[in-house]
Amino acid sequence: MIGVRSDVCMDLGNGLANGQGKHPLFSFGVISDVQYADIPDGHSFLGVPRYYRHSILVLQRAVKNWNDHKNLNFVINFGDIVDGKCPKDQSLNAVKKVVSEFENFHGPVYHMIGNHCLYNLPRDKLLPLLKIPNHGDGCTHAYYDFSPTPGYRFVVLDGYDISAIGWPHDHPNRLEALKILSEKNPNSDKNSPEGLKGVDRRFVMFNGAVGNKQMEWLDNVLKDATNMKQKVIICCHVPLDPGATSKTTLLWNYDQVMDLIHRYDCVKVCLSGHNHQGGYSVDSRGVHHRVLDAALECTPGTNAFGYIDVYDNMLSLVGTDQMKSTEFSFDF
């Protein structure tokens, strides 16, 4: 079930638990789509205002509140830390500037890549700056997992594994992405969904897919988590359920990824960014999907960040301003 709280405020509490009076097993901070750039305010292609310089102030306030909370074990950034409109001669310094703001948090920060990250820097430059663990393959893949406690595992997916952006021009993953786009999107501008219907609107260049090697890895991770009786939280910049997001902001092969996830009972929640207005759904197998609202589109003085308290049978997102609080209850 979902419960949206009415007591959303800047005070992120002190680690005391939900209405059940229980203390969380652990807690972590969340933010998505900062998309900072040192440029004047602008608009999305839909005309939604974007506040490029203000977004880093949202991040600064987030870090201060996470530190003031004193009981957050780590922070997860859901991607797109610098906007694609950032002048390319400023990209490296802009990424370093935002990363340094995250590093003011008194604990570990886990990053994932988004499309705007890749508009600014290629993978080989970006991933080391974000300290994303590599798989011994030259530090080019951005998927990994970690377990903050024995009973939970976080799985961070690389939603731009198969992508037309971020890879060298002749890389097989880029060529595969271009083939998918040429088959699925007839528009000359592959960022345009014009003429595409329903979930086919996802076949645009600013989305991507999970590749075969990553799918095999995910299968093994979920198998291992099942054997260890762990609950799993999936994190991906690109949303995985059409009920939680715009049809233009879905992972290209969300259906294949979710078919794999649904083979296991261990996955309880999928968290993502990318769709700036946020969203929430529960899919046909009872998995919760929460798309986190963007820091970029906060009007000056407002915020979009939060923290999540984790219990045995529930996650509780405590949000600020545009990021509404949400509870996700599930079976053991």
Side-chain angles (χ1 to χ4, degrees):
M1 60 179 292
I2 176 173
V4 179
R5 301 180 181 180
S6 59
D7 58 345
V8 178
C9 60
M10 279 292 294
D11 180 10
L12 289 187
N14 57 8
L16 294 179
N18 63 354
Q20 297 174 343
K22 297 177 182 177
H23 287 269
L25 301 172
F26 62 93
S27 305
F28 62 99
V30 293
I31 195 168
S32 189
D33 296 87
V34 173
Q35 292 182 221
Y36 165 74
D38 188 13
I39 58 176
D41 296 341
H43 294 82
S44 72
F45 68 95
L46 293 175
V48 179
R50 292 184 164 181
Y51 305 96
Y52 299 106
R53 291 183 176 123
H54 176 256
S55 65
I56 202 166
L57 303 180
V58 177
L59 174 59
Q60 290 169 352
R61 292 193 289 265
V63 171
K64 181 181 186 304
N65 276 274
W66 293 332
N67 285 333
D68 289 347
H69 183 285
K70 301 188 186 304
N71 286 299
L72 299 186
N73 301 77
F74 55 91
V75 161
I76 301 181
N77 159 43
F78 282 81
D80 278 2
I81 60 174
V82 172
D83 195 84
K85 291 185 178 179
C86 178
K88 295 304 167 277
D89 62 344
Q90 298 177 24
S91 289
L92 180 59
N93 285 337
V95 170
K96 288 181 176 178
K97 180 175 182 175
V98 180
V99 168
S100 71
E101 295 293 345
F102 275 106
E103 289 176 346
N104 288 326
F105 173 67
H106 302 155
V109 178
Y110 297 96
H111 293 279
M112 65 196 76
I113 58 172
N115 52 309
H116 282 266
C117 305
L118 297 171
Y119 297 149
N120 281 277
L121 294 175
R123 284 172 171 266
D124 59 346
K125 299 278 197 305
L126 180 67
L127 270 57
L129 290 172
L130 299 180
K131 297 182 173 63
I132 291 178
N134 70 76
H135 292 259
D137 56 4
C139 197
T140 56
H141 290 291
Y143 53 88
Y144 59 97
D145 67 305
F146 64 96
S147 295
T149 61
Y152 271 92
R153 187 181 300 207
F154 286 73
V155 176
V156 178
L157 298 181
D158 180 354
Y160 294 91
D161 190 5
I162 306 300
S163 171
I165 52 177
W167 294 107
H169 279 269
D170 59 350
H171 195 283
N173 291 24
R174 179 177 180 272
L175 297 178
E176 183 179 347
L178 292 176
K179 183 173 184 290
I180 291 170
L181 287 170
S182 68
E183 292 173 352
K184 301 290 188 180
N185 188 332
N187 297 306
S188 57
D189 177 6
K190 298 302 182 186
N191 275 318
S192 171
E194 185 177 353
L196 300 177
K197 305 296 183 185
V199 293
D200 282 350
R201 292 174 65 81
R202 72 190 187 275
F203 291 110
V204 285
M205 194 180 287
F206 52 79
N207 298 327
V210 168
N212 291 334
K213 183 178 177 183
Q214 186 178 177
M215 290 285 279
E216 292 172 9
W217 171 84
L218 176 60
D219 191 19
N220 288 329
V221 168
L222 297 181
K223 195 175 301 177
D224 188 52
T226 299
N227 292 337
M228 295 179 69
K229 295 181 170 51
Q230 292 176 317
K231 300 179 187 73
V232 173
I233 298 169
I234 302 283
C235 302
C236 183
H237 178 71
V238 192
L240 301 173
D241 185 67
T245 188
S246 159
K247 304 301 184 289
T248 57
T249 52
L250 272 170
L251 192 76
W252 287 346
N253 61 339
Y254 78 91
D255 46 353
Q256 294 173 315
V257 172
M258 290 310 304
D259 283 347
L260 173 57
I261 286 172
H262 287 157
R263 291 182 209 161
Y264 299 90
D265 293 329
C266 57
V267 177
K268 305 301 181 184
V269 176
C270 296
L271 300 172
S272 60
H274 197 42
N275 183 40
H276 290 187
Q277 287 69 49
Y280 173 81
S281 67
V282 181
D283 68 28
S284 61
R285 295 292 297 275
V287 176
H288 297 259
H289 296 259
R290 181 65 163 92
V291 181
L292 301 174
D293 312 67
L296 173 65
E297 292 176 5
C298 294
T299 55
T302 66
N303 297 292
F305 60 83
Y307 70 91
I308 294 179
D309 288 330
V310 180
Y311 304 87
D312 278 325
N313 64 339
M314 186 183 77
L315 269 62
S316 177
L317 166 62
V318 180
T320 61
D321 296 347
Q322 294 186 26
M323 187 178 291
K324 301 301 184 187
S325 298
T326 314
E327 292 187 354
F328 322 97
S329 299
F330 43 80
D331 296 329
F332 279 90

